[in-house]
Amino acid sequence: MNAVRTISGKTFVWKNGAFTDTAYTGKEKILGVKYMSDAWFAVAAKDKSVAKALKLGENVIIVTKKGRAIIVAPDGIEDIKDDELAKWLG
């Protein structure tokens, strides 16, 4: 497997079992989203560049705007309202 991927100008590295945005510092507020859930599809529908990154798989960490990141993980949320989602997409 290629450990580095570039998507929509963002670089992702395979680290600790997830494709991780190199902009991720671990200090961001996190929105955990379950893979292929309604919330996952809502994120994909709202932001095309994030949607491309979501295609990396079941475990992805994406910095979406300053101080915010979306983590795709098995224990993430399954539903999200549009007004809440807007806080996470930049």
Side-chain angles (χ1 to χ4, degrees):
M1 170 183 4
N2 185 353
V4 179
R5 304 279 172 90
T6 301
I7 298 172
S8 299
K10 289 183 156 291
T11 301
F12 295 84
V13 295
W14 183 256
K15 185 165 90 174
N16 299 325
F19 274 106
T20 304
D21 188 335
T22 57
Y24 181 70
T25 65
K27 296 178 183 176
E28 293 83 0
K29 291 184 180 181
I30 300 299
L31 174 65
V33 175
K34 188 172 185 176
Y35 182 65
M36 300 296 273
S37 66
D38 287 345
W40 187 91
F41 282 105
V43 170
K46 291 284 184 187
D47 189 310
K48 291 182 185 198
S49 64
V50 173
K52 290 177 183 177
L54 291 174
K55 292 179 182 179
L56 287 170
E58 296 181 35
N59 297 296
V60 183
I61 301 172
I62 309 163
V63 174
T64 55
K65 63 190 212 181
K66 185 175 173 114
R68 302 268 178 157
I70 293 176
I71 295 180
V72 179
D75 60 348
I77 63 169
E78 295 189 36
D79 294 297
I80 190 166
K81 295 182 180 184
D82 284 343
D83 59 333
E84 180 64 21
L85 183 55
K87 297 176 188 176
W88 296 93
L89 299 174

